[in-house]
Amino acid sequence: MNTFRLIFFGMAFTFSVLPVLGIARPALMFIKPTDLPDLGLRLKLMPESREAPPASPPVFLCQFTRGDQTWKEERFSPLDLWKQGQYAGQWVGRDGSKLLLAVMSQLPPSGSPAQPVTRALYEQQTSLATNSTLFSSESDIARWVSCFSDYPHPVGKRVDKQASKISPVYVFRLDNLSPNRVAYVFRLAAGAGKSFRYIWICAQFDLNTDILMESACDIIEKDFLGSISATTQSRPAPAREALTKAGEEAADASADLKVAQQQVINSIRNLKGWWYDVTPNYIILSNLKSGSDSFVEQLKISLKLIRSAYRQCIPESLNAGIGVIRIPATRQEYCEYVGEDSRWTSGLWVPRRKELVLCPADNQSVRGKRQSLLHTAFHEGFHQYAYYAFGQANPSMWFNEGYAQFFENAVVANGRISIEESPRALALVTSTRSGSEMDLRRLLSLSWQEFYDSDDKIRTRNYAFSWAFVYYLKKDASSPFTELLDRYVAAFQSNGGNGEKATESMLAGVDLKRLQLDFERFWQSNSRQAAARRYNPFDSRQ
């Protein structure tokens, strides 16, 4: 508190002024020693920083026709694949500031980076030059920073008075387009004798907007760059012993698939606490804490059994890919990974990135969280499986979401699968009195936009009735329409992945009024519903 004396018209007044309370600017600090043995690097990170793996590069599914032959190819932006190959690790501090670390192993791809290519072609065209022979000029460094940081024509400045072990050092201020982004490029001297080598590294910072850039650069150069040293390079052992057989299980995979699998694994190679596990059909990435081993084993067993049930509904494609399942440890990490538009979800299958992301439930017991994760995995896992089984095409909304909810309520026990009712959907369906609300003609014709209506009530109704229709067709053994789902699958495959035509073919020759009536009667009949609860379509004994 400060005291002031004011003389006014000859009279003296003494008064005190309390300091104005405001929100202090976040302070950038580097106090968390961290070893990155995969890089042979030791440095300090921001306090309370957590690992934040990057998203997989987007996939462009291209269809080609030559004569009477039609085929699909997965293609990628060469620039996205290049960035993925340079990536070494990413961390987020408690104030939201991010550090992205990259090993500058290759110059950016030449030619047209906007022209999508297959992963195999990219690998063939990529230069095999070693790190030490690159970046002989500042223009090469500037070009690398320009492509990696998405900043045209960056201008670097040499940073003086840095230790010889990381000299030279360049700083790139990207103020015009990214005022809170700054990139440092330095050359690290590592190893000794015959193993001596130079490694070019880029540290890109995206700082909290309240941090002053000038002071931040001083702190980065003193406390971050000053903490860097080389260590003995070694690849850390995987966190789960089961991984020792990962290569054997993927032995029959194509070369392209193996490269994709390895790049997924590389995305967490320097992130402490993250681990991966490989099964014949899935790669599981997670940073779930200790004590999760039993759940992971339960998840693997359950996925294997539930996949056999998927297969009975949709025959598996010969070109089925490896399913990537990512499980962040907290909801905050999940929301940061999937983005603002999807933070309302509890799980997400993202075809464009070919990843299934699961969100741990909050405010539940350990058992409750595990059950929630399993049910979400069964739901999103069906979307993932159907996408590959149908040749990387998405079926009609009623089919995709109806079946996903059907499997969401699966129970796996003693090597068997049973399907229970969906409590939420059942409550809505059984409380519906108006037949017009359960109109199958409307339901079966819904587009993506119509199904995911902005009105929560309409969207919830669409989900509930899709589940009700699939459940009725799959579990009501007395229904005269039990073959419709199989007819849809055959029609979708024969129509080249056209959901509207597949639904029309499924209904060809079907009395829609009779189907509507029988559907409604099922949900009005306690005896038919009781029989459906006892019937298990995946039990060979029935």
Side-chain angles (χ1 to χ4, degrees):
M1 182 172 66
N2 298 317
T3 301
F4 294 85
R5 184 176 178 83
L6 175 66
I7 299 177
F8 187 69
F9 281 69
M11 301 178 66
F13 299 86
T14 302
F15 60 95
S16 301
V17 177
L18 294 174
V20 177
L21 297 179
I23 299 175
R25 288 184 181 274
L28 184 63
M29 295 184 288
F30 297 94
I31 59 176
K32 183 180 178 181
T34 302
D35 281 347
L36 305 177
D38 191 53
L39 294 178
L41 191 65
R42 177 175 296 143
L43 46 74
K44 288 184 178 180
L45 295 175
M46 300 161 287
E48 301 177 27
S49 58
R50 60 185 183 278
E51 294 80 3
S56 300
V59 182
F60 303 93
L61 189 62
C62 304
Q63 182 166 305
F64 299 91
T65 300
R66 180 183 297 149
D68 58 353
Q69 290 185 328
T70 299
W71 71 97
K72 296 178 181 179
E73 286 183 357
E74 290 182 356
R75 298 205 168 194
F76 303 82
S77 159
L79 200 57
D80 287 338
L81 292 179
W82 172 78
K83 287 182 180 181
Q84 184 184 45
Q86 307 300 286
Y87 169 84
Q90 183 172 250
W91 297 264
V92 180
R94 63 188 177 193
D95 64 354
S97 294
K98 294 181 181 179
L99 163 61
L100 194 161
L101 207 62
V103 174
M104 301 165 62
S105 58
Q106 295 170 334
L107 288 169
S110 56
S112 175
Q115 184 66 36
V117 297
T118 63
R119 197 184 290 269
L121 182 60
Y122 172 80
E123 293 294 326
Q124 292 174 8
Q125 295 178 342
T126 299
S127 171
L128 299 179
T130 61
N131 184 288
S132 59
T133 62
L134 300 176
F135 310 109
S136 56
S137 68
E138 293 185 10
S139 61
D140 285 342
I141 296 174
R143 180 183 164 214
W144 190 100
V145 172
S146 174
C147 291
F148 191 82
S149 298
D150 300 317
Y151 190 85
H153 313 301
V155 178
K157 177 183 177 183
R158 183 81 174 254
V159 178
D160 297 325
K161 298 181 181 180
Q162 290 296 328
S164 59
K165 61 190 176 185
I166 60 166
S167 180
V169 178
Y170 299 92
V171 58
F172 290 84
R173 291 280 295 274
L174 311 175
D175 303 66
N176 291 343
L177 295 180
S178 305
N180 301 304
R181 174 174 292 180
V182 62
Y184 282 85
V185 171
F186 56 91
R187 188 181 67 176
L188 175 70
K194 293 183 178 180
S195 64
F196 178 84
R197 67 196 186 285
Y198 285 118
I199 303 174
W200 283 96
I201 295 175
C202 175
Q204 175 182 293
F205 295 89
D206 287 296
L207 302 175
N208 181 295
T209 55
D210 291 329
I211 293 177
L212 296 175
M213 181 60 75
E214 294 300 333
S215 60
C217 288
D218 291 339
I219 295 169
I220 291 170
E221 292 167 16
K222 177 183 176 182
D223 297 336
F224 174 75
L225 295 178
S227 73
I228 293 175
S229 62
T231 62
T232 302
Q233 186 176 26
S234 64
R235 182 172 291 276
R240 291 179 49 78
E241 295 178 0
L243 302 186
T244 56
K245 296 184 179 180
E248 299 173 15
E249 293 179 331
D252 296 331
S254 67
D256 194 46
L257 190 59
K258 287 181 179 178
V259 171
Q261 176 177 296
Q262 189 57 51
Q263 289 181 338
V264 169
I265 294 170
N266 285 345
S267 71
I268 61 169
R269 63 182 179 177
N270 291 306
L271 302 184
K272 185 178 180 181
W274 278 84
W275 48 264
Y276 69 93
D277 204 344
V278 178
T279 76
N281 298 114
Y282 298 98
I283 301 176
I284 302 172
L285 307 172
S286 182
N287 63 335
L288 288 171
K289 303 300 185 281
S290 59
S292 64
D293 285 7
S294 61
F295 167 71
V296 175
E297 291 306 314
Q298 181 184 10
L299 176 63
K300 289 164 62 178
I301 293 170
S302 298
L303 287 173
K304 182 177 181 180
L305 289 171
I306 203 76
R307 191 179 181 93
S308 69
Y310 296 158
R311 195 179 296 117
Q312 292 181 47
C313 302
I314 310 174
E316 188 166 14
S317 169
L318 294 176
N319 298 318
I322 295 291
V324 177
I325 300 177
R326 189 182 295 269
I327 314 176
T330 66
R331 179 161 188 84
Q332 179 183 2
E333 291 173 276
Y334 170 86
C335 292
E336 289 175 350
Y337 189 81
V338 300
E340 187 67 30
D341 292 343
S342 300
R343 61 186 302 120
W344 60 274
T345 62
S346 58
L348 203 62
W349 159 238
V350 189
R352 194 175 180 219
R353 297 195 182 277
K354 306 189 77 171
E355 283 193 357
L356 190 165
V357 193
L358 301 178
C359 177
D362 290 334
N363 304 320
Q364 288 189 9
S365 64
V366 172
R367 185 176 183 278
K369 288 182 179 180
R370 290 186 175 189
Q371 288 302 314
S372 178
L373 274 175
L374 282 175
H375 290 310
T376 304
F378 297 162
H379 179 117
E380 300 299 333
F382 176 80
H383 292 320
Q384 186 181 47
Y385 175 86
Y387 177 78
Y388 287 121
F390 281 137
Q392 301 194 45
N394 290 311
S396 302
M397 293 305 305
W398 68 266
F399 181 96
N400 211 4
E401 288 298 353
Y403 247 137
Q405 290 176 96
F406 178 79
F407 282 112
E408 177 182 332
N409 294 279
V411 175
V412 178
N414 302 318
R416 296 177 64 246
I417 295 172
S418 59
I419 304 293
E420 297 184 348
E421 296 168 331
S422 169
R424 290 174 298 178
L426 180 64
L428 181 58
V429 170
T430 55
S431 65
T432 300
R433 301 302 178 192
S434 170
S436 62
E437 290 188 53
M438 299 178 67
D439 181 14
L440 290 179
R441 188 183 299 276
R442 182 198 69 85
L443 177 70
L444 299 181
S445 65
L446 291 177
S447 66
W448 188 94
Q449 292 83 359
E450 291 168 334
F451 191 96
Y452 296 120
D453 194 282
S454 58
D455 187 317
D456 288 344
K457 291 184 178 180
I458 295 176
R459 186 169 61 249
T460 300
R461 183 187 66 185
N462 293 338
Y463 268 103
F465 294 148
S466 293
W467 166 82
F469 186 55
V470 170
Y471 183 91
Y472 152 74
L473 293 177
K474 202 70 182 173
K475 292 271 283 179
D476 181 20
S478 66
S479 169
F481 301 100
T482 55
E483 82 287 354
L484 287 186
L485 290 173
D486 290 338
R487 288 179 61 178
Y488 177 88
V489 170
F492 189 80
Q493 292 173 328
S494 63
N495 280 302
N498 186 309
E500 184 177 353
K501 289 184 178 180
T503 300
E504 291 175 0
S505 297
M506 178 189 75
L507 295 175
V510 174
D511 185 336
L512 192 57
K513 289 183 179 180
R514 184 179 169 217
L515 172 61
Q516 177 77 43
L517 182 62
D518 194 62
F519 172 57
E520 293 177 10
R521 284 178 174 173
F522 171 77
W523 289 110
Q524 294 165 359
S525 170
N526 292 331
S527 61
R528 288 178 69 178
Q529 291 176 50
R533 285 192 288 269
R534 294 190 298 270
Y535 175 66
N536 185 350
F538 306 113
D539 191 340
S540 59
R541 293 172 293 183
Q542 297 195 57

